[in-house]
Amino acid sequence: MLSGADQSDSPPQPAPQNRQLAIDLKGSVFTITVMRLYHNDLAHLERELRHYVAKSPRFFNNAPVVIDVSTLQEPATPIDFKAMAELLRGLHLVPVGVRHADAAQQDAAVAAGLAIMNGGTLKDLPGAQAPPAAGLRRTPPAVEHKKTGASQTQATKVIHQPVRSGQQIYARGGDLVVLAAVNAGAEIVADGNIHVYAPLRGRALAGVQGGTGARIFCQHMAAELVAIAGHYRVFEDAVPREFRDKPVQVHLDKEQLVFTLL
Protein backbone atom coordinates (compact mmCIF):
# COMPACT_ATOMS: atom_id res chain seq x y z
CA MET A 1 0.00 0.00 0.00
CA LEU A 2 2.61 2.56 1.02
CA SER A 3 4.96 1.72 -1.84
CA GLY A 4 2.28 2.58 -4.40
CA ALA A 5 1.14 5.78 -2.71
CA ASP A 6 3.73 8.04 -4.40
CA GLN A 7 3.46 8.02 -8.22
CA SER A 8 6.21 10.64 -8.67
CA ASP A 9 9.24 9.74 -10.82
CA SER A 10 11.61 11.62 -8.53
CA PRO A 11 13.80 9.39 -6.35
CA PRO A 12 13.17 9.37 -2.60
CA GLN A 13 15.24 11.85 -0.65
CA PRO A 14 17.61 10.38 1.95
CA ALA A 15 17.12 11.39 5.55
CA PRO A 16 19.63 14.01 6.69
CA GLN A 17 22.56 12.52 8.56
CA ASN A 18 22.40 15.14 11.29
CA ARG A 19 18.66 14.85 11.93
CA GLN A 20 17.89 15.63 15.58
CA LEU A 21 15.69 13.06 17.32
CA ALA A 22 12.54 14.30 19.00
CA ILE A 23 12.11 11.28 21.31
CA ASP A 24 13.83 8.09 22.38
CA LEU A 25 11.80 5.13 23.72
CA LYS A 26 13.41 2.82 26.25
CA GLY A 27 12.25 0.34 28.86
CA SER A 28 12.82 1.13 32.52
CA VAL A 29 11.97 0.01 36.04
CA PHE A 30 9.85 2.14 38.33
CA THR A 31 8.56 1.89 41.86
CA ILE A 32 4.79 1.72 41.61
CA THR A 33 1.80 1.15 43.88
CA VAL A 34 -0.39 -1.87 43.21
CA MET A 35 -3.93 -1.74 44.60
CA ARG A 36 -5.50 -5.18 44.89
CA LEU A 37 -9.30 -5.21 44.86
CA TYR A 38 -11.18 -7.68 47.06
CA HIS A 39 -14.64 -6.31 46.25
CA ASN A 40 -16.17 -3.50 44.26
CA ASP A 41 -17.73 -1.29 46.94
CA LEU A 42 -16.44 2.22 46.19
CA ALA A 43 -17.47 3.60 49.60
CA HIS A 44 -15.53 0.87 51.39
CA LEU A 45 -12.64 1.31 49.00
CA GLU A 46 -12.47 5.03 49.77
CA ARG A 47 -12.33 4.37 53.53
CA GLU A 48 -9.46 1.90 53.10
CA LEU A 49 -7.58 4.22 50.77
CA ARG A 50 -7.87 7.13 53.18
CA HIS A 51 -6.49 4.89 55.92
CA TYR A 52 -3.40 4.00 53.87
CA VAL A 53 -2.80 7.51 52.60
CA ALA A 54 -3.14 9.02 56.09
CA LYS A 55 -0.31 6.80 57.37
CA SER A 56 2.21 8.02 54.77
CA PRO A 57 0.79 11.06 52.95
CA ARG A 58 4.04 12.13 51.31
CA PHE A 59 4.79 8.61 50.13
CA PHE A 60 1.43 8.29 48.38
CA ASN A 61 1.15 11.89 47.18
CA ASN A 62 0.83 11.79 43.34
CA ALA A 63 1.94 8.15 43.37
CA PRO A 64 1.08 6.09 40.27
CA VAL A 65 -1.34 3.25 40.96
CA VAL A 66 -2.08 0.02 39.09
CA ILE A 67 -5.44 -1.63 39.85
CA ASP A 68 -5.15 -5.41 40.27
CA VAL A 69 -8.47 -7.25 39.91
CA SER A 70 -7.15 -10.80 40.37
CA THR A 71 -8.30 -10.92 44.01
CA LEU A 72 -11.91 -9.87 43.43
CA GLN A 73 -14.28 -12.13 45.37
CA GLU A 74 -16.81 -11.84 42.53
CA PRO A 75 -14.56 -11.54 39.46
CA ALA A 76 -17.45 -11.31 37.01
CA THR A 77 -18.86 -8.17 38.66
CA PRO A 78 -18.67 -5.14 36.34
CA ILE A 79 -16.22 -2.48 37.55
CA ASP A 80 -16.76 1.24 37.13
CA PHE A 81 -13.15 2.08 36.36
CA LYS A 82 -14.02 5.68 35.55
CA ALA A 83 -15.48 6.27 39.02
CA MET A 84 -12.60 4.38 40.62
CA ALA A 85 -10.06 6.51 38.77
CA GLU A 86 -11.83 9.69 39.88
CA LEU A 87 -11.76 8.43 43.47
CA LEU A 88 -8.01 7.80 43.28
CA ARG A 89 -7.33 11.22 41.77
CA GLY A 90 -9.39 12.83 44.53
CA LEU A 91 -6.98 11.31 47.05
CA HIS A 92 -3.94 12.62 45.09
CA LEU A 93 -3.15 9.22 43.59
CA VAL A 94 -2.59 8.77 39.86
CA PRO A 95 -4.34 5.74 38.27
CA VAL A 96 -2.29 4.46 35.34
CA GLY A 97 -3.52 0.98 34.49
CA VAL A 98 -5.25 -2.30 35.26
CA ARG A 99 -3.85 -5.80 35.38
CA HIS A 100 -5.23 -9.37 35.49
CA ALA A 101 -8.45 -8.11 33.89
CA ASP A 102 -10.67 -10.23 31.63
CA ALA A 103 -11.70 -9.05 28.18
CA ALA A 104 -14.76 -7.11 29.36
CA GLN A 105 -12.84 -5.47 32.19
CA GLN A 106 -10.04 -4.53 29.81
CA ASP A 107 -12.53 -2.82 27.49
CA ALA A 108 -13.98 -0.90 30.44
CA ALA A 109 -10.50 0.08 31.65
CA VAL A 110 -9.43 1.33 28.22
CA ALA A 111 -12.66 3.32 27.93
CA ALA A 112 -11.76 4.97 31.26
CA GLY A 113 -8.35 5.95 29.90
CA LEU A 114 -6.34 3.30 31.76
CA ALA A 115 -3.56 1.15 30.38
CA ILE A 116 -3.54 -2.66 30.38
CA MET A 117 -0.59 -3.77 32.51
CA ASN A 118 1.31 -7.04 32.67
CA GLY A 119 3.08 -8.07 35.86
CA GLY A 120 4.03 -10.85 38.20
CA THR A 121 3.09 -12.13 41.61
CA LEU A 122 2.56 -10.16 44.80
CA LYS A 123 3.14 -10.88 48.46
CA ASP A 124 1.08 -9.54 51.36
CA LEU A 125 2.40 -6.62 53.35
CA PRO A 126 4.44 -7.58 56.42
CA GLY A 127 2.18 -8.28 59.38
CA ALA A 128 -0.98 -8.23 57.28
CA GLN A 129 -4.06 -9.86 58.76
CA ALA A 130 -7.12 -10.98 56.82
CA PRO A 131 -7.30 -9.33 53.38
CA PRO A 132 -8.70 -5.78 53.64
CA ALA A 133 -10.93 -4.18 51.09
CA ALA A 134 -7.93 -2.78 49.28
CA GLY A 135 -4.27 -3.60 49.64
CA LEU A 136 -1.69 -0.99 48.75
CA ARG A 137 1.98 -1.65 48.28
CA ARG A 138 4.83 -0.44 46.14
CA THR A 139 6.75 -2.91 44.14
CA PRO A 140 8.74 -2.75 40.92
CA PRO A 141 6.80 -4.08 37.91
CA ALA A 142 7.37 -7.41 36.17
CA VAL A 143 8.39 -9.41 39.24
CA GLU A 144 7.96 -12.73 37.49
CA HIS A 145 9.91 -15.18 39.67
CA LYS A 146 10.11 -15.85 43.39
CA LYS A 147 13.46 -16.74 44.92
CA THR A 148 14.23 -17.88 48.43
CA GLY A 149 17.44 -17.88 50.40
CA ALA A 150 20.45 -15.94 49.15
CA SER A 151 19.93 -13.69 46.19
CA GLN A 152 21.30 -15.04 42.92
CA THR A 153 23.56 -12.45 41.31
CA GLN A 154 25.66 -12.43 38.18
CA ALA A 155 27.36 -9.05 38.12
CA THR A 156 28.13 -6.01 40.23
CA LYS A 157 27.39 -2.48 39.08
CA VAL A 158 29.61 0.21 40.61
CA ILE A 159 28.57 3.89 40.66
CA HIS A 160 31.29 6.46 41.42
CA GLN A 161 29.24 9.66 41.09
CA PRO A 162 26.48 10.99 43.38
CA VAL A 163 22.98 9.85 42.45
CA ARG A 164 20.96 13.01 41.87
CA SER A 165 17.37 13.72 42.87
CA GLY A 166 15.03 12.25 40.24
CA GLN A 167 17.69 9.87 38.95
CA GLN A 168 17.32 6.08 39.07
CA ILE A 169 20.12 3.50 38.99
CA TYR A 170 19.22 -0.17 38.38
CA ALA A 171 21.61 -3.11 38.70
CA ARG A 172 19.95 -5.82 36.66
CA GLY A 173 20.89 -9.35 37.63
CA GLY A 174 23.40 -8.36 40.29
CA ASP A 175 24.53 -6.18 43.17
CA LEU A 176 24.77 -2.40 43.19
CA VAL A 177 27.69 -0.58 44.84
CA VAL A 178 27.45 3.21 45.21
CA LEU A 179 30.62 5.05 46.26
CA ALA A 180 28.98 8.47 46.54
CA ALA A 181 25.88 9.98 48.12
CA VAL A 182 22.37 8.97 47.12
CA ASN A 183 20.46 12.24 47.34
CA ALA A 184 16.88 12.75 48.46
CA GLY A 185 14.48 12.00 45.61
CA ALA A 186 16.92 9.56 43.97
CA GLU A 187 16.24 5.84 43.64
CA ILE A 188 18.68 2.92 43.56
CA VAL A 189 17.40 -0.53 42.59
CA ALA A 190 19.09 -3.92 42.37
CA ASP A 191 18.17 -7.53 41.75
CA GLY A 192 20.81 -8.40 44.37
CA ASN A 193 22.31 -6.51 47.32
CA ILE A 194 22.83 -2.75 47.63
CA HIS A 195 25.96 -1.22 49.18
CA VAL A 196 26.17 2.54 49.73
CA TYR A 197 29.51 3.78 51.06
CA ALA A 198 28.17 7.29 51.62
CA PRO A 199 24.94 8.89 52.90
CA LEU A 200 21.76 7.17 51.68
CA ARG A 201 19.05 9.83 51.57
CA GLY A 202 16.86 8.57 48.72
CA ARG A 203 15.13 5.24 48.14
CA ALA A 204 16.86 1.86 48.05
CA LEU A 205 15.13 -1.29 46.74
CA ALA A 206 17.07 -4.57 46.81
CA GLY A 207 16.04 -8.04 45.63
CA VAL A 208 13.45 -6.55 43.30
CA GLN A 209 13.00 -9.80 41.37
CA GLY A 210 11.91 -11.56 44.57
CA GLY A 211 15.33 -12.19 46.14
CA THR A 212 14.42 -12.42 49.83
CA GLY A 213 18.06 -13.00 50.78
CA ALA A 214 19.15 -9.61 49.46
CA ARG A 215 20.44 -6.98 51.88
CA ILE A 216 20.97 -3.23 51.99
CA PHE A 217 24.18 -1.86 53.52
CA CYS A 218 24.85 1.83 53.96
CA GLN A 219 27.41 3.99 55.75
CA HIS A 220 24.97 6.76 56.75
CA MET A 221 21.30 5.77 56.99
CA ALA A 222 18.99 8.68 56.14
CA ALA A 223 16.74 6.97 53.59
CA GLU A 224 13.25 7.94 52.49
CA LEU A 225 12.36 4.31 51.78
CA VAL A 226 14.04 0.92 51.92
CA ALA A 227 12.63 -2.27 50.43
CA ILE A 228 13.68 -5.88 50.00
CA ALA A 229 11.75 -8.24 47.71
CA GLY A 230 8.74 -5.92 47.79
CA HIS A 231 8.62 -5.52 51.58
CA TYR A 232 9.19 -1.87 52.34
CA ARG A 233 9.39 0.72 55.06
CA VAL A 234 8.76 4.41 54.51
CA PHE A 235 10.42 7.03 56.70
CA GLU A 236 7.83 9.77 56.46
CA ASP A 237 9.70 12.20 58.70
CA ALA A 238 13.11 10.72 59.45
CA VAL A 239 14.90 7.47 60.17
CA PRO A 240 14.56 6.51 63.86
CA ARG A 241 17.22 8.09 66.04
CA GLU A 242 18.99 4.81 66.87
CA PHE A 243 19.80 4.27 63.17
CA ARG A 244 19.90 7.80 61.78
CA ASP A 245 23.19 8.73 60.07
CA LYS A 246 24.81 5.50 61.28
CA PRO A 247 26.18 2.44 59.45
CA VAL A 248 23.21 0.10 59.03
CA GLN A 249 22.28 -3.11 57.28
CA VAL A 250 18.73 -4.11 56.39
CA HIS A 251 17.54 -7.68 55.78
CA LEU A 252 14.36 -9.74 55.81
CA ASP A 253 13.42 -12.04 58.68
CA LYS A 254 10.11 -13.87 58.26
CA GLU A 255 8.83 -11.15 55.89
CA GLN A 256 9.76 -8.36 58.31
CA LEU A 257 12.44 -5.78 57.59
CA VAL A 258 15.17 -5.88 60.25
CA PHE A 259 17.59 -3.00 60.86
CA THR A 260 20.91 -3.59 62.63
CA LEU A 261 23.91 -1.39 63.25
CA LEU A 262 27.15 -2.39 61.53
Side-chain angles (χ1 to χ4, degrees):
M1 294 288 293
L2 291 177
S3 62
D6 184 3
Q7 301 299 323
S8 171
D9 292 332
S10 60
Q13 298 298 314
Q17 297 298 318
N18 60 349
R19 183 173 64 90
Q20 184 176 2
L21 292 176
I23 62 170
D24 187 15
L25 298 179
K26 293 183 178 180
S28 186
V29 174
F30 293 95
T31 305
I32 197 165
T33 301
V34 177
M35 182 179 74
R36 293 179 292 182
L37 293 182
Y38 292 94
H39 58 74
N40 197 23
D41 184 337
L42 287 179
H44 196 167
L45 174 61
E46 181 176 4
R47 289 194 297 272
E48 293 288 340
L49 282 170
R50 290 187 181 279
H51 168 74
Y52 277 100
V53 171
K55 290 196 300 183
S56 299
R58 285 194 301 171
F59 180 66
F60 290 114
N61 186 40
N62 295 319
V65 176
V66 171
I67 303 168
D68 188 332
V69 301
S70 63
T71 50
L72 274 175
Q73 297 176 0
E74 298 180 1
T77 303
I79 301 174
D80 189 345
F81 285 111
K82 183 177 180 180
M84 192 172 296
E86 291 175 354
L87 170 60
L88 290 168
R89 294 188 187 100
L91 295 173
H92 304 289
L93 297 165
V94 183
V96 296
V98 175
R99 73 175 191 172
H100 298 146
D102 60 26
Q105 291 167 341
Q106 288 185 17
D107 289 343
V110 171
L114 301 175
I116 305 302
M117 312 291 291
N118 294 315
T121 59
L122 287 173
K123 305 181 187 72
D124 289 326
L125 286 170
Q129 304 299 320
L136 282 176
R137 56 166 299 170
R138 283 199 165 189
T139 181
V143 179
E144 298 292 353
H145 304 288
K146 293 182 180 179
K147 299 186 182 77
T148 58
S151 60
Q152 300 178 7
T153 60
Q154 299 176 352
T156 298
K157 186 171 188 175
V158 180
I159 302 299
H160 298 270
Q161 303 298 324
V163 186
R164 302 183 304 275
S165 177
Q167 186 178 8
Q168 183 195 70
I169 303 294
Y170 177 34
R172 185 185 302 276
D175 292 353
L176 176 62
V177 176
V178 183
L179 303 177
V182 179
N183 293 317
E187 185 172 87
I188 53 175
V189 184
D191 290 346
N193 304 304
I194 290 177
H195 304 257
V196 182
Y197 296 102
L200 170 59
R201 301 188 183 95
R203 297 182 289 184
L205 299 91
V208 297
Q209 293 293 337
T212 56
R215 297 191 177 217
I216 298 171
F217 305 88
C218 69
Q219 201 167 48
H220 300 277
M221 170 59 75
E224 300 169 328
L225 173 148
V226 293
I228 296 176
H231 301 275
Y232 66 83
R233 180 169 176 180
V234 180
F235 301 106
E236 187 66 27
D237 296 316
V239 173
R241 186 184 302 273
E242 62 266 33
F243 302 115
R244 191 184 313 159
D245 297 324
K246 297 177 181 178
V248 171
Q249 71 161 311
V250 186
H251 70 279
L252 272 180
D253 183 12
K254 298 179 181 178
E255 299 191 345
Q256 297 287 339
L257 286 178
V258 178
F259 294 73
T260 55
L261 295 174
L262 292 172

